Amino acid sequence: MKLKSHFILVVLMMPIVIIGQVKTAQTQVNVTIAQAQSITITQSAVDIQLTQMAHYISGNSSAIQTNHINVGSTTNYQVSVKAESDFLSFNGSSSTIPVNTIALQTTMGSDLTGSNTPASATTIITPSVTLGSTDTIVIKNAVAEGARGYNVTYAIPATKTSFYLNKPIGTYTATVIYTLASQ
């Protein structure tokens, strides 16, 4: 019996090798890359007040529109701006006030991805442009960015306020169009 128990003990202490078949399977992962771009304007309406004599003497501007233009692009890009018409509208009709009496002052805004990535050194911003009905490039960026904001201030310089004299009181409007394109 002693021999039998030793045999069982030896068998239990021996490693058991199970020989089986190893199977594998595989899959292919495809990553499709496409150009993606987005542009949004955060303030849908911006006001410039000409309500005091000082505004007609010195000109006036809107408050700075922080991160007014939001751009995301998987490639290098440029942003252009233009007005829908050569003249401001008043009560739904064209007025005699030219849209080129309004200037846009653009500055670098924030990284909107949340990672606080600094702006690229290759970004070129035209600091001031006169609004017109043809596209004018205001931003060129030689790198792709997930989400970047640009600040804009709209201004009527003192040299252009005379166009607003002797006009009916009310609100004059211009539709401003920003276009994002690959460089």
Side-chain angles (χ1 to χ4, degrees):
M1 183 88 154
K2 201 173 191 188
L3 185 59
K4 196 176 191 183
S5 65
H6 281 286
F7 176 75
I8 293 173
L9 186 60
V10 169
V11 169
L12 289 177
M13 295 174 85
M14 290 179 56
I16 300 175
V17 177
I18 300 175
I19 299 176
Q21 294 180 353
V22 176
K23 305 264 185 201
T24 63
Q26 66 184 32
T27 188
Q28 177 177 318
V29 176
N30 299 313
V31 178
T32 303
I33 296 176
Q35 181 176 335
Q37 293 184 312
S38 68
I39 185 168
T40 57
I41 303 300
T42 57
Q43 296 85 1
S44 60
V46 177
D47 296 326
I48 304 171
Q49 301 293 323
L50 291 179
T51 57
Q52 302 171 17
M53 281 311 301
H55 297 156
Y56 289 94
I57 295 168
S58 302
N60 202 17
S61 64
S62 68
I64 188 168
Q65 308 300 302
T66 304
N67 294 320
H68 185 58
I69 307 168
N70 291 328
V71 176
S73 182
T74 58
T75 62
N76 53 353
Y77 62 88
Q78 66 184 29
V79 176
S80 60
V81 64
K82 72 177 182 178
E84 189 173 59
S85 171
D86 285 321
F87 296 93
L88 289 134
S89 294
F90 180 67
N91 291 331
S93 297
S94 183
S95 75
T96 59
I97 302 173
V99 76
N100 68 6
T101 59
I102 300 172
L104 283 73
Q105 299 157 348
T106 307
T107 59
M108 183 63 68
S110 304
D111 169 35
L112 302 173
T113 64
S115 63
N116 293 321
T117 303
S120 168
T122 62
T123 304
I124 300 170
I125 298 174
T126 306
S128 184
V129 298
T130 300
L131 196 54
S133 61
T134 58
D135 282 313
T136 301
I137 296 171
V138 290
I139 301 163
K140 282 187 179 183
N141 199 336
V143 297
E145 291 191 281
R148 170 68 58 192
Y150 296 92
N151 308 320
V152 178
T153 302
Y154 296 84
I156 299 172
T159 58
K160 302 290 185 167
T161 58
S162 63
F163 286 95
Y164 294 86
L165 297 173
N166 296 312
K167 300 294 185 240
I169 294 170
T171 301
Y172 292 76
T173 61
T175 301
V176 178
I177 303 163
Y178 290 92
T179 303
L180 172 65
S182 295
Q183 279 192 61

